[in-house]
Amino acid sequence: MNYMPGTASLIEDIDKKHLVLLRDGRTLIGFLRSIDQFANLVLHQTVERIHVGKKYGDIPRGIFVVRGENVVLLGEIDLEKESDTPLQQVSIEEILEEQRVEQQTKLENEKIKVQALKDRGLSIPRADTLDEY
Amino acid sequence: MTCLEGPHSNQGPDKSCGPMAPEEELVSSSQLEEEEEENEEEEEDLDPDLAPDLEEGVDEEEEDLGDPAILSAVTNTQRGLPSSPGIKASGALGMSPASLHFLWQTLDYLSPVPFRPTHPSTSSPVRHFGPRLLPPDPYVFCSPPTSWSPRFSHLTQLHPQHQRILQLQQHSRTPRSPAKKPWSRQSDAYANLMTRKEKDWVIKVQMVQLQSEKPCLDDYYYQNYYQKLEKKEADQELLGQRSKVESLKLVTPYIQKAEAYESVVRFEGSLGQVAMSTCFSPRRAIDAVPHGTPEPEIGAASSQRLRVLSWIEKMFLQLLEIEEGKKNGPPQSCYSEQQRNQVEKLFQALKTQEQSNLEETADGFLQVLSVRKGKALVARLLPFLPRDLAVSLLLAVIHHLPLLVKRDAADQVLQMLFKPLGKYISHLTFHELLQGLQGLMLLPPGSSERPVTVVLQNQFGISLLYALLSHGAKLVSLDPSLEEPSSDHTAWTDIVILIAWEIAQMPTASLAEPLTFPSNLLPLFCRHVDKQLVQQLEATMQLAWIY
């Protein structure tokens, strides 16, 4: 804010730990090292965090360069508060397994719903089959 | 970024960061700049409070690389561009010389520039873009920093609890600095990968995007907000909060009128056009000019309404120009010749609306007044009008008051006209006043309702009526010659009696509450009307006033 008062700028966030939510749903946590005018981000010591219910797992990813348009939001992580969370950290294999199970149940529920609607003569187009714009 | 003088001009190893201009006048500054850059790369946390020091002169001559040794030592973050002076560079970059000039003046240093001009002219391999200038302080963009904690701008609006928590955190954090966590040691190793120069470069790009010729229009909300904030702080300071709290302001680059450019080049005798691509018009190869298509004929009523609406819009634009002229010009009550012409033109436009018949003229004016925006237009135009024009508008309004009142039933915004019109009521002569009121009294053909009845039921109407009567009473009391029996005097008394009777007739509930209640009304009625009626009037009007 010292640089450009009255605006929102990422300059002040450099070298701080951030949580970045991407448009494809991934959550990245890393140190913001560099930005540019398009809000492309360079994340250092990045970790991809997968959340399933009350559990989460971290996959270390190294250095990420994220194109600005794919970022939904990002926020600074308070390093002191980072550890006190009610969530439970598990291993990568476990969380990936949990994620797979979750996806599966979601798909099954979706299928049942679509079938029920079809029986009643209604059809709701699926979000992923629609064009984005 | 710091200024050149000060504690940072110590000699260091000649780690050349880039070629320098050989010109005489810039040699010393360039040397110092070299040292400064070394210092920057060594220690990033420079004191931000040193005052910036910008050089005024811009040297636009070509620069040459003197030393091939320096050439080879260019770091990978510094890339020069083949530069050529003035217009050529600006043309290639797609920017007007004015904005480019601005860039050079305020934001120059050795920095990676994103665009590379494509002209092949250069013989010498690496040159530097633009002249050597002092690296500017980013704080040039804003007023001096404040001691405000937390370190947000005045635009960050936090919940008071949140703010308190943050303040506590900040206060408690500062004594705890010796207790470093493992992560902080790590990040120190990787910190400042993005150098100050790179940050400044990003900011420069962002600031370029904010260039504007008229910031008070383009950035209206922020500018107005900041003015209010400054005023509030000045007041606070005056009141005794002695701490000089200065909020930072974003000062966006202000450019002069952007230069018009020829994006299409025509050669003599050629059949086509050569498109010169710029960043504003990448491929404008043809003249696509929209020609006005003739409007299809629609229904008469809707087209009439549309015509009135579009007419109001055009007049509003003229009014905005007049207001802008008044705002920018010197604060005086007499207007310049040009402004007066503008106002006249607008008034004529208001009155005539391309209709020649006198009755239709008034009708056009009424149509404008039937629209909410038209009322706003007239209300805002009235302060600019000379007396006689304003009075004619006022009389027209009085004459058609019942009609206006009826048409305003949906919007109920006639009130906005009361203040500007009220100002001109006091300018009316007795004769004009009488004329107006007599016009009001006329029973319109085909309507059984008496005009005064209608008027009394509307707030604007009753306020206007009271104001007119009060003015009349004042005139009569001031000028004893009017007391003599004459046609004017009888007309006046007749009007007063009639209105008094009407007021008495109305049930109190339907009498609208006037915006102002002149004090000389009751005495006026006392003089002309019998006692019983006066008592009745008093009761009615007082009750209405209380409600």
Side-chain angles (χ1 to χ4, degrees), chain A residues 1-7 9 11 14-15 31 33-37 44-45 76 78-81, chain B residues 138-139 141-142 155 169 181 183 186 190-192 194 196 200-203 205-207 248-250:
Chain A
M1 285 302 179
N2 277 331
Y3 285 75
M4 285 175 78
T7 65
S9 175
I11 295 283
I14 295 232
D15 293 334
F31 289 91
R33 292 296 176 201
S34 186
I35 58 157
D36 69 354
Q37 70 267 34
H44 181 226
Q45 293 170 349
E76 190 186 334
D78 187 341
L79 291 149
E80 283 140 37
K81 295 221 179 115
Chain B
Y139 298 108
F141 296 135
C142 47
L155 286 181
Q169 273 182 0
K181 298 219 169 129
W183 58 262
Q186 274 178 8
Y190 290 97
N192 302 312
M194 195 175 186
R196 185 78 81 109
D200 290 339
W201 176 82
V202 171
I203 292 173
V205 171
Q206 290 176 336
M207 289 295 259
L248 299 176
K249 178 177 186 179
L250 180 71

Side-chain angles (χ1 to χ4, degrees), chain B residues 106-268:
Chain B
T106 63
L107 300 166
D108 182 56
Y109 40 70
L110 298 172
S111 57
V113 189
F115 29 72
R116 291 179 141 276
T118 52
H119 56 78
S121 60
T122 72
S123 51
S124 69
V126 175
R127 286 163 178 234
H128 270 283
F129 174 53
R132 284 285 70 68
L133 281 183
L134 293 174
D137 195 325
Y139 298 108
V140 154
F141 296 135
C142 47
S143 33
T146 79
S147 54
W148 167 235
S149 67
R151 62 245 180 262
F152 300 113
S153 80
H154 53 84
L155 286 181
T156 310
Q157 299 194 353
L158 302 170
H159 192 272
Q161 263 184 330
H162 189 183
Q163 210 161 38
R164 257 177 271 140
I165 292 171
L166 283 175
Q167 262 182 325
L168 279 171
Q169 273 182 0
Q170 226 188 358
H171 292 322
S172 60
R173 194 166 288 164
T174 34
R176 248 201 286 128
S177 39
K180 289 263 189 215
K181 298 219 169 129
W183 58 262
S184 66
R185 262 185 273 119
Q186 274 178 8
S187 76
D188 277 342
Y190 290 97
N192 302 312
L193 270 173
M194 195 175 186
T195 62
R196 185 78 81 109
K197 283 203 181 72
E198 286 158 4
K199 291 185 193 172
D200 290 339
W201 176 82
V202 171
I203 292 173
K204 171 172 83 166
V205 171
Q206 290 176 336
M207 289 295 259
V208 165
Q209 294 169 342
L210 295 179
Q211 284 176 354
S212 103
E213 289 163 34
K214 23 184 175 81
C216 38
L217 276 183
D218 293 334
D219 198 13
Y220 172 79
Y221 295 102
Y222 179 72
Q223 300 290 340
N224 275 51
Y225 171 78
Y226 192 76
Q227 276 174 18
K228 273 193 246 174
L229 191 71
E230 271 191 319
K231 208 177 353 162
K232 190 177 79 165
E233 280 172 357
D235 291 340
Q236 270 183 351
E237 224 184 299
L238 282 170
L239 281 175
Q241 219 173 318
R242 278 290 144 192
S243 63
K244 188 131 193 322
V245 183
E246 259 187 54
S247 309
L248 299 176
K249 178 177 186 179
L250 180 71
V251 179
T252 54
Y254 170 71
I255 53 171
Q256 298 300 324
K257 174 179 168 318
E259 198 183 276
Y261 61 94
E262 273 298 314
S263 70
V264 167
V265 177
R266 264 203 173 85
F267 293 111
E268 297 282 336

Side-chain angles (χ1 to χ4, degrees), chain B residues 310-359:
Chain B
S310 79
W311 192 257
I312 291 178
E313 290 300 323
K314 288 192 198 124
M315 288 196 285
F316 222 99
L317 286 173
Q318 288 185 19
L319 173 69
L320 287 175
E321 266 181 45
I322 296 174
E323 280 184 351
E324 188 79 25
K326 169 124 190 267
K327 192 172 77 158
N328 293 338
Q332 56 189 14
S333 53
C334 56
Y335 302 111
S336 67
E337 190 60 48
Q338 188 203 27
Q339 275 177 325
R340 250 177 276 147
N341 287 342
Q342 277 181 316
V343 173
E344 273 277 348
K345 240 191 331 178
L346 188 51
F347 179 78
Q348 291 308 320
L350 187 62
K351 279 290 216 163
T352 58
Q353 284 199 63
E354 298 166 11
Q355 280 150 346
S356 49
N357 191 343
L358 196 64
E359 251 182 48

